[in-house]
Amino acid sequence: MGHIHRFHAATIAPSHALAGHPHSFCRNRHCPKCQSLARAQWLDDRRSELLAVPYFHVVFTLPQEIAALAFHNKGPVYDILFHAAAETLRVIAADPEHLGAELGFFAVLHTWGQTLLHHPHLHCVVAGGGLSRDGSRWTACRPNFFLPVCVLARLFRRLFLASLEKAFAAKKLTFYGSLEPLRDRRAFHRYLAPARKAEWCVYAKPPFAGPEQVLTYVARYTHRVAISNNRLVGIDQGKVRFRWKDYRNGGRQKTMSLAADEFIRRFLLHVLPEGFQRIRYYGFLANRHQKLARCRQLLAMPQPEATDEAAVRDSRDQYRQLTGASLTDCPACQRGHMVIIEVLKPVKPCRPVCDTS
């Protein structure tokens, strides 16, 4: 924990105490209250990297039997998910029959569905084109078409299963409970047999309306885990009620009620291993400082202006600059101001907190 602040908060309406904790110092990336500044900073950084081209949203989803393996092997299996999805996009895009170019994209790991159950999948936001092999020209995708999803799905399946078998051979996987028999090599291969024949789910949504819409959409999910506070309806009598969308019924809004311990159990399903990076960059975004400049040059785009970081003095000023909202104004009346009257320093030095998103 960082410094503890004592506030003069007489002007803050107590009924809005749960609306946000502007001085929360937990900074855990799974906390729904502590990621606003990190999200705003990430959004500002990505805005400077946008190109004047269409962007596509591609989602890679793991089959149920593979998701069960991932539940007990989060680090290794999620790493394989990132690698297989990225390599699939890279290989198909580099093929002259499809695009013949180096893509630039970032991928965000999600492990939950609307009801907070385990549902690992990867969201990729991909520029609609890329650099030619020699870097001399920009190669654009066909209008409203990215890459054939059936080809993507089959290569993704092959690459993922090959990497998973290598992880098994290297003894990087563990098995518990009903999956314990899979420690045997033959049992493991039998378990994977249905997945080798099944059609894996990869889909590409239509291109976003514009670069800004890309960020508006994706930023809702980059620094949030499982559920946001605004979906919570109530907590009473040992139960938690929250809103969810039933996509099988046209996205209809419904309310679910769970026992508090079950709600906590479901939330904890999505806590990632320490240091695991859940946002990763590939292609010309992996070497963005050099290759992005070349992309802008080929697209006749101006280079972004450098920001004056010295103008931002602390996290509250930075938050106001990035979001336009104030962390010191009363969330109820917008007139009262929170005033710091004392800062209590920690007894022991704090370990630095790194954002491993």
Side-chain angles (χ1 to χ4, degrees), residues 317-334:
D317 294 333
Q318 187 179 20
Y319 188 85
R320 182 189 288 272
Q321 182 186 60
L322 292 172
T323 67
S326 172
L327 292 177
T328 58
D329 292 347
C330 173
C333 68
Q334 304 298 322

Side-chain angles (χ1 to χ4, degrees), residues 45-68:
D45 293 341
R46 299 294 80 76
R47 186 175 287 114
S48 67
E49 298 167 2
L50 288 174
L51 300 175
V53 298
Y55 280 81
F56 292 84
H57 178 199
V58 186
V59 183
F60 295 83
T61 303
L62 293 181
Q64 185 174 358
E65 57 265 47
I66 304 299

Side-chain angles (χ1 to χ4, degrees), residues 197-217:
K197 299 177 182 178
E199 292 293 333
W200 287 33
C201 182
V202 176
Y203 71 91
K205 292 185 177 182
F208 292 96
E212 283 295 330
Q213 187 184 359
V214 178
L215 293 180
T216 301
Y217 175 83

Side-chain angles (χ1 to χ4, degrees), residues 80-92:
I80 293 172
L81 172 57
F82 271 105
H83 172 75
E87 191 66 5
T88 296
L89 290 172
R90 186 193 68 79
V91 169
I92 300 301

